[in-house]
Amino acid sequence: MSVREVAEYLNVSTSWVYRNASQAGLIPYRFGVGANAKLRFKASEVYAWVKQRRAS
């Protein structure tokens, strides 16, 4: 999933994803180096992360 897709799925801004995803427990995969690197996320990991944090 792209940063935009993750942000839409989580209903947060793309800047939140860039700043807080790794601190929140979402694991980004970086393609490239430096400022031009692209972040991607495994959909299954994003879904599992949401399921884990779902209020009972």
Side-chain angles (χ1 to χ4, degrees), residues 24-42:
L26 284 169
I27 301 168
Y29 295 87
R30 184 177 301 270
F31 294 91
V33 287
N36 292 328
K38 303 292 183 201
L39 293 182
R40 298 282 188 219
F41 297 85
K42 285 187 179 178

Side-chain angles (χ1 to χ4, degrees), residues 6-45:
V6 171
E8 288 176 8
Y9 182 73
L10 298 177
N11 197 28
V12 296
S13 67
T14 55
S15 60
W16 184 93
V17 176
Y18 282 113
R19 281 191 318 258
N20 300 315
S22 60
Q23 294 173 348
L26 284 169
I27 301 168
Y29 295 87
R30 184 177 301 270
F31 294 91
V33 287
N36 292 328
K38 303 292 183 201
L39 293 182
R40 298 282 188 219
F41 297 85
K42 285 187 179 178
S44 60
E45 292 177 356

